[in-house]
Amino acid sequence: MFEEIGTTAEGDLVINMGPQHPATHGVLHLLITLNGETIKKVEPHLGYIHRSIEKMCESLTYRQFIYVTSRMDYLSAHINNHCCALCVEKGLQIEIPSRAQVIRILVDELTRIASHELWWGAMAMDLGAFTPFFYAFRERETINDIMEETSGARLTMNYIVPGGVMADIHPNFQKRVKSFIQLFKSKVDEYDELVTGNVIFQGRMKGVGVLSKEDAISYGCTGPAARGSGVNCDIRKLYPYEIYNTLEFDEILETAGDSFARYMVRIREMKQSIRIIEQLIDNIPEGDFQAKTKAVLKLPKGEFYQRVETARGELGVYIISEGGTTPYRIKFRSPGFSNLSALDHIARAGKIGDLVATMGTLDLVIPDIDR
Amino acid sequence: MFIIDYIKEVYSAVKSLLKGMKLTGYYFTHHKEIITQQYPEVKQTLPERFRGEVVMLHDENNEHACTGCTACELACPNATIKIITKFDVSPEGKKKKALDTFVYHLELCTMCNLCIEACPTDAIKMAQTFEHSVFDRSLLTKKLNKPGSKIREGVE
């Protein structure tokens, strides 16, 4: 049963955090049971932004349903679209031109940087530092402009389609991405200078919200939240898709498992994304940007599953097809939902002041959790 | 020895705070470009691929390239587009299907670009507009083909 607001029989205080709270980054409702300042229980209440995306997809064709998935994890919209496109391509068994594969990975990694940057700014703002928010958005704006020029939208792109990408890259794309990575390399060091080395920041992050490796696995945590606890879970390394197996990059692992470890994973991951982009940006092969596909896509009868690594963790798309033009059932395994389920465990016995820092490092995107 | 460690810790803490303040101070005095725009007075030019709204292209003779094939209507995930067709009678007495009204519901559109991709004759495209706010919702339902327009010769 859900707890009521007020005081329990044992004299504990039950309070609300959200659904309208600046630190929950969306409509997440947490019911917190407190003994003094110590957290006894955190109960997330979901459903405030449920749009029944999975059910909606059942009435949309295989071309149409991809745009909806941009609205799940809107900070890694490209990667969501990528996963759906890969799953449909798996069913159709079509070969993707190598140019399209490279473009897809380039926009994926740019999205990852943009997502981590927004997280970095918002995370620092949760802890009371306002300047990092502006600095993060200043660089993120450059990525948004690049995306806008190539795909025509800033947030919900719908650029990756079954068979390749919707349009060829803009002639300015390579030039602008190169100037961006030049700029961004110095900026990451500035981020370290401004926030990572800050004594107040470290005091609030180190040793707070510890998630052990066993718990990370048993709660199904993925992405930077689990890699901060030392779990090998990078899908790009474990189950490489597209041409990730030919690229050189490191899987970032930290072993401490506290908030600071999760923070450092994301900061270091941005540098790895830069490394991937640097390998590809000058080597975009010539050719088509889209494979020839039929106007109406029909998947054969069967079940198809594809997973990718989004900025938040493992996203899985599971399609059951009856052989028609629309899927019979679609299930999304979203990373945010599993990561949120560990929040109660890691916040318990901590102080209420640390809850915001803990939640910030899990990098929750609420529409991704509710779908 | 405890007191020396303590002083060292305080020193490094103050140093780290000043380091951050130095960076903030640098940007405070060295703003290279002003990023914010004076929006209503100064308007940004949007890139040519920007998706603002669907428009139909008309040439100087008030002719468009839409055959009324409803490919865009079928491609649209949100039932944004409704195409009403009519039958044109040619001088030889042959009946031919043609576009009567291209209804576009801007309030339902998510700018996914699928209709533009589906169009076989490139009759529609995305316009680089973004100021769509109106006082009445019914104004968002638009008729895209201009009054009196007809299909261009030779477009099948």
Side-chain angles (χ1 to χ4, degrees):
Chain A
M1 269 307 290
F2 293 141
E3 302 266 5
E4 294 287 322
I5 309 297
T7 316
T8 60
E10 297 94 56
D12 297 332
L13 192 66
V14 183
I15 59 161
N16 275 324
M17 183 170 168
Q20 305 291 334
H21 190 279
T24 54
H25 305 294
V27 279
L28 178 66
H29 179 192
L30 298 175
L31 216 54
I32 307 164
T33 311
L34 290 171
N35 179 10
E37 254 193 282
T38 313
I39 294 171
K40 285 184 100 176
K41 198 163 90 178
V42 180
E43 228 179 272
H45 283 203
L46 305 177
Y48 288 94
I49 194 161
H50 180 75
R51 294 147 297 171
S52 72
I53 283 182
E54 287 175 11
K55 193 71 189 168
M56 270 164 76
C57 290
E58 288 171 21
S59 61
L60 297 174
T61 67
Y62 292 110
R63 274 189 205 286
Q64 288 171 349
F65 90 92
I66 288 175
Y67 94 95
V68 191
T69 59
S70 311
R71 272 108 183 136
M72 290 197 317
D73 183 354
Y74 49 79
L75 293 181
S76 41
H78 269 312
I79 314 182
N80 288 4
N81 296 351
H82 194 171
C83 189
C84 298
L86 279 174
C87 195
V88 172
E89 282 154 12
K90 208 178 225 180
L92 293 170
Q93 293 182 332
I94 45 175
E95 278 289 309
I96 309 305
S98 55
R99 184 178 176 85
Q101 290 190 359
V102 171
I103 295 172
R104 280 175 172 194
I105 288 179
L106 278 172
V107 291
D108 272 13
E109 295 304 322
L110 281 174
T111 314
R112 201 182 309 277
I113 293 172
S115 169
H116 283 347
E117 267 192 275
L118 190 143
W119 160 82
W120 178 80
M123 160 95 230
M125 200 169 70
D126 287 351
L127 297 179
F130 203 70
T131 318
F133 190 73
F134 291 120
Y135 288 5
F137 268 66
R138 184 185 56 192
E139 271 82 64
R140 185 171 172 268
E141 186 65 25
T142 322
I143 302 183
N144 274 356
D145 283 345
I146 295 170
M147 295 294 185
E148 191 180 21
E149 208 173 46
T150 289
S151 67
R154 296 168 67 82
L155 202 64
T156 50
M157 289 94 167
N158 192 30
Y159 179 59
I160 298 175
V161 293
V165 289
M166 197 177 252
D168 205 353
I169 50 170
H170 196 271
N172 288 342
F173 182 79
Q174 278 168 301
K175 196 178 75 193
R176 289 189 74 169
V177 170
K178 268 186 224 164
S179 70
F180 168 73
I181 49 179
Q182 277 306 322
L183 172 95
F184 188 68
K185 272 183 190 165
S186 61
K187 298 292 180 197
V188 183
D189 297 335
E190 276 183 9
Y191 295 173
D192 282 346
E193 209 174 295
L194 188 66
V195 171
T196 317
N198 189 305
V199 63
I200 301 169
F201 183 77
Q202 290 198 356
R204 288 193 65 179
M205 299 286 269
K206 277 187 177 163
V208 170
V210 179
L211 179 68
S212 70
K213 187 175 179 179
E214 290 72 30
D215 288 328
I217 293 169
S218 72
Y219 278 102
C221 292
T222 47
R227 286 199 285 280
S229 309
V231 184
N232 279 69
C233 59
D234 197 329
I235 305 297
R236 293 174 293 171
K237 283 276 183 201
L238 292 176
Y239 306 97
Y241 49 97
E242 305 283 21
I243 54 163
Y244 271 117
N245 49 359
T246 63
L247 298 172
E248 271 179 37
F249 65 102
D250 299 329
E251 180 176 3
I252 308 295
L253 286 180
E254 296 270 341
T255 46
D258 57 358
S259 293
F260 193 70
R262 290 191 284 275
Y263 170 88
M264 280 316 287
V265 168
R266 291 204 177 83
I267 292 283
R268 289 169 63 194
E269 232 175 51
M270 286 201 260
K271 294 174 185 168
Q272 293 301 319
S273 292
I274 287 288
R275 215 173 132 192
I276 295 174
I277 293 171
E278 275 183 334
Q279 287 171 46
L280 291 176
I281 190 68
D282 281 322
N283 304 319
I284 303 179
E286 294 294 318
D288 293 336
F289 58 87
Q290 206 172 16
K292 290 264 183 298
T293 48
K294 286 177 187 160
V296 180
L297 300 179
K298 274 187 184 172
L299 257 66
K301 198 171 176 177
E303 300 173 8
F304 309 98
Y305 186 69
Q306 175 66 43
R307 46 183 155 190
V308 297
E309 180 79 19
T310 74
R312 257 147 287 280
E314 176 188 336
L315 172 79
V317 174
Y318 178 55
I319 299 179
I320 301 179
S321 168
E322 295 249 289
T325 55
T326 57
Y328 175 75
R329 173 87 170 91
I330 280 194
K331 164 85 183 124
F332 296 111
R333 183 254 182 246
S334 69
F337 189 78
S338 309
N339 290 352
L340 175 69
S341 68
L343 178 66
D344 178 42
H345 178 78
I346 57 181
R348 223 173 250 210
K351 296 279 183 270
I352 185 155
D354 293 334
L355 179 67
V356 171
T358 312
M359 206 164 62
T361 50
L362 287 177
D363 195 8
L364 303 171
V365 167
I366 314 304
D368 182 40
I369 297 165
D370 270 351
R371 296 196 290 288
Chain B
M1 285 306 101
F2 166 76
I3 195 82
I4 291 173
D5 285 347
Y6 183 75
I7 290 167
K8 266 185 188 166
E9 210 172 283
V10 169
Y11 174 75
S12 65
V14 170
K15 201 180 151 193
S16 80
L17 292 178
L18 287 177
K19 222 173 158 187
M21 282 306 289
K22 195 183 148 202
L23 185 74
T24 320
Y26 175 79
Y27 279 116
F28 185 69
T29 50
H30 291 77
H31 44 83
K32 289 193 189 87
E33 51 173 336
I34 294 167
I35 296 166
T36 48
Q37 288 165 346
Q38 302 293 325
Y39 159 60
E41 290 86 30
V42 183
K43 279 183 189 168
Q44 192 189 0
T45 48
L46 292 161
E48 57 186 316
R49 288 184 191 175
F50 181 81
R51 301 169 191 166
E53 64 172 322
V54 177
V55 290
M56 186 175 273
L57 296 168
H58 289 77
D59 60 9
E60 62 276 8
N61 305 327
N62 202 14
E63 288 175 335
H64 57 74
C66 181
T67 57
C69 68
T70 70
C72 49
E73 191 181 332
L74 292 170
C76 181
N78 311 308
T80 305
I81 296 167
K82 180 88 190 86
I83 289 178
I84 301 164
T85 51
K86 61 180 179 189
F87 281 99
D88 271 352
V89 184
S90 62
E92 294 94 58
K94 268 188 187 169
K95 271 186 173 179
K96 198 183 166 197
K97 203 166 133 189
L99 177 74
D100 181 45
T101 315
F102 192 111
V103 186
Y104 171 56
H105 296 275
L106 179 59
E107 75 272 28
L108 300 177
C109 186
T110 57
M111 320 299 169
C112 66
N113 212 31
L114 288 173
C115 52
I116 317 289
E117 291 282 300
C119 185
T121 55
D122 293 335
I124 46 176
K125 76 181 253 296
M126 282 284 179
Q128 283 73 46
T129 54
F130 59 94
E131 291 150 321
H132 294 314
S133 54
V134 286
F135 283 105
D136 189 358
R137 190 185 294 174
S138 63
L139 295 172
L140 290 170
T141 304
K142 296 181 179 180
K143 185 185 166 191
L144 290 192
N145 52 333
K146 287 184 187 161
S149 64
K150 60 179 196 303
I151 187 164
R152 199 175 299 141
E153 283 292 317
V155 177
E156 285 299 324

